[in-house]
Amino acid sequence: DIAKYKNKNPNKANRDKFSKAEINLLWENSDNQYYQIILMLIYSGVRISELLDLKKKDINFEEQYFEITHSKTESGLRKVPIADKTLPFFKSWYNKNPKSEYLLHTEEGKHLTYRNYYKVYFLPLVNKLHIEKTPHCCRHTCISLLAKANVNQTIIKLIVGHSGAMSLTEKVYTHLDIKELVAAINKI
């Protein structure tokens, strides 16, 4: 009976932010490279697909950012600052398999797909810590943490690729360099 779904999406997942205690648990387990990915997501605000598709050539360690060249939306194409806290994780993954073109990859250096990552790594890891979250919750967490740190809304939109939600004035007159975005992400 379709009427019972009139105002509901039966496939909608609850998306909530990670709590401070849950983030602390992730940090306590950050010696595991797959927990590092969750932290990389939380401290960058990117979509999981954007991080999994990230190629090494799109990372600039000198200026501390990576570039999203393929995204769900046009406004998702952007430079994303790398937080000081997660910079060692990015460098570790970068150097893990020199033959792989992708930052995150399988043990064999192959592209790590969403399905593989979610079922084989993400779900077992969060279940082990008794955390009920999805990878998209990392994005919600980043945005919430940036807002809590009083980061300007325009900067938040630029970091997470919500420029479609920006006003005409923000789009035309906002010119921020990557140093300002790195400073903002480091507030969380």
Side-chain angles (χ1 to χ4, degrees):
D1 180 12
I2 199 161
K4 68 181 179 181
Y5 298 114
K6 183 179 177 189
N7 294 316
K8 298 178 186 176
N9 177 347
N11 300 317
K12 184 179 179 185
N14 280 340
R15 295 202 171 109
D16 197 10
K17 67 183 182 80
F18 283 76
S19 70
K20 185 174 183 171
E22 290 169 334
I23 294 171
N24 288 339
L25 269 175
L26 295 170
W27 279 108
E28 288 169 19
N29 290 279
S30 65
D31 55 331
N32 178 309
Q33 62 187 359
Y34 295 100
Y35 281 116
Q36 291 174 6
I37 295 174
I38 299 171
L39 290 164
M40 292 161 77
L41 287 165
I42 289 173
Y43 288 89
S44 67
V46 295
R47 294 173 181 90
I48 181 63
S49 60
E50 293 171 336
L51 190 62
L52 292 176
D53 290 343
L54 183 62
K55 294 185 177 177
K56 291 178 180 178
K57 68 179 179 66
D58 297 320
I59 300 172
N60 183 325
F61 285 118
E62 188 176 312
E63 293 187 51
Q64 207 165 317
Y65 74 86
F66 58 92
E67 194 160 353
I68 300 296
T69 58
H70 299 336
S71 182
K72 178 179 160 182
T73 64
E74 187 179 324
S75 60
L77 304 176
R78 64 201 185 279
K79 290 181 180 178
V80 180
I82 301 173
D84 291 346
K85 293 177 180 182
T86 60
L87 185 59
F89 303 154
F90 278 86
K91 288 181 176 180
S92 174
W93 275 98
Y94 188 93
N95 294 315
K96 204 171 291 300
N97 186 330
K99 293 180 181 178
S100 180
E101 69 177 315
Y102 292 97
L103 176 70
L104 305 176
H105 47 74
T106 65
E107 296 297 323
E108 300 79 34
K110 305 277 187 219
H111 183 240
L112 188 60
T113 64
Y114 175 81
R115 183 179 177 155
N116 182 333
Y117 172 71
Y118 183 70
K119 290 194 182 265
V120 176
Y121 301 105
F122 186 86
L123 275 180
L125 291 172
V126 294
N127 288 340
K128 182 179 177 185
L129 297 180
H130 307 289
I131 297 173
E132 293 185 29
K133 299 288 188 282
T134 67
H136 199 72
C137 294
C138 300
R139 190 167 163 81
H140 286 252
T141 303
C142 181
I143 294 167
S144 297
L145 291 172
L146 287 167
K148 187 175 180 181
N150 295 316
V151 172
N152 176 292
Q153 288 294 309
T154 301
I155 292 175
I156 294 173
K157 292 172 191 175
L158 288 172
I159 290 172
V160 300
H162 279 173
S163 61
M166 294 173 73
S167 70
L168 180 61
T169 303
E170 287 173 312
K171 286 180 185 178
V172 173
Y173 296 103
T174 303
H175 306 285
L176 299 168
D177 72 20
I178 195 64
K179 289 178 186 174
E180 292 171 278
L181 300 181
V182 171
I185 205 73
N186 281 333
K187 288 183 178 182
I188 62 173

